[in-house]
Amino acid sequence: MASPVRVLLARVLAAFLAAGLCEAQVPEELLRGLEDRDPAVRLRAVEALGDLRAGAETAAPRLGRALEDADPELRAAAAQALGKIGPRARIAVPALIAALRDGHQSVRMHAVWALECMGPEAAAAAPDLLRSLGDEDPRIRENAAAALGRMEEAARPALGGLIRTLSDGDSFVRLRAAGALGALGWGDPPVTKALCRSLRDRHPDVRMAAADALGKLGAPAQACAAGLIGSLNDEDSYVRMSAARALGRLRGAAGKSLPRLLKSLLDADTYVRMESASALGRLGRREPRVCGALVGALDDPEPYVRTAAAKALGELRAGDRTAVAALLGLLRDPVPGPRESAASALKAIGLREEAALPELLRALKDPDASVRMQASSALSSAQELPEGAAASLGKVLRDEDPDLRMSAAGALESMGPKAKSALPDLLRALRDENPHVRCSAARALGRLGGEAESSVPELMRSLDDPDVNVRVSAAAALESIRSKTLPRKTQKASSGGGR
């Protein structure tokens, strides 16, 4: 068979494999292609194996042997194919380690990349990857640093090498080294000190990576708080954004960072303002100046910022009237993201005032499903609502929308004994066409205890409900009512007998 024909067949087979049109088992013809005397056929076979969706790991040993092929292009392709297969090709790790010493740059580069793709499964390569940090090619040094960042505990001996690589002459190498140190998460003093120095790197991408890494280290990075606060003044917006995000993870330095983060809520860049709002929420300082600034950020022209500010207010449980009123207003935002965060924040804060009901009930009809879900969840955690809210929720049980009725029933259930004024509506809801409404109504009546004694006949009827959950809820409600009313009747009988 002529060589061009074999190449064409290899290409066709590769296309079928990539499209998933062949069996998961690697065809023997493709494996034989790795041994073909024509380098073009061998190359196509290697590339096809790398594109397999399933079963390629069975070819890993042969791909490992292909790393010794006389053709450097094929050796590089074999390394790339092993990287695509990933951790499933771990049997080829020794061959990839040997390829790190290959005389051709492209082979070494793809071998390092493959080891990075395998992550902890390639832990045995850590000492050799440390050596690759000194490779003459910056792309190889860059990928070696990234690979070490995925080696977990096996990379510990390479810690000093990664720290030294923060001074590499290539900015991409320095960036990857910072990222690796953050991914490994070891807050040793030499690490935090080196990353703190990198906050002053001449390249903004490295400064950004250093800030991100310090944020991932958490508490051990407290000593770098001053450097991160200084980075909020960086000329590059991405550096400022990463610094704000990192400071949000350093609660121990909140006293120092709060004033500067509050100022960053007015930064010219959208994402800096967004990360500053998020950081203020994570720091957990529910102070008037913080809550006031976040309420102001709810009027930011950018929806990302409004969303982050609402979420932060929820994290802080900022339940003062000004914050709650602003969040209720945000439920009418033209963008779904801020509306969803506002409803979520109101749930976290807890409903305490009946005045909040109209806006949340309106949000139950929001065109966005996520907003409706959060509003419903907020109503379902309404145990702090005053008794007067029960009558309003009772009226909603008569609404045509089943989702509204279901949410109202859930809210009345959460209110417990305070929902007694809605008793007639709850009794009517036991006959609702929606089983979820009937179920919540039964549970709400059970929580009323002795106040719901008049509901016993209807609850008895619900014991024959076609929905098992309704039957179970009705039985539980009857038991709850019985346990609350029996002691009261016993006490009355005892009092009467003593006269």
Side-chain angles (χ1 to χ4, degrees), residues 357 361 379 382 385 389-397 407-408 411-412 415 422:
L357 277 179
L361 291 171
L379 281 167
L385 277 174
S392 300
L393 287 166
K395 291 177 183 176
V396 181
L397 287 174
S407 295
L412 287 165
M415 288 181 70

Side-chain angles (χ1 to χ4, degrees), residues 72-73 75-77 79 102-112 140:
E73 184 181 4
R75 296 199 300 275
D102 195 287
H104 286 261
Q105 177 269 352
S106 62
V107 179
R108 298 196 307 277
M109 184 173 71
H110 284 102
V112 171
I140 293 172

Side-chain angles (χ1 to χ4, degrees), residues 26-58:
V26 179
E28 188 60 34
E29 294 84 354
L30 190 57
L31 293 175
R32 281 200 298 270
L34 293 174
E35 314 295 334
D36 197 280
R37 66 179 181 274
D38 189 321
V41 175
R42 298 199 302 275
L43 180 61
R44 291 300 177 190
V46 165
E47 291 173 343
L49 287 168
D51 290 333
L52 275 180
R53 292 181 180 178
E57 62 271 17
T58 60

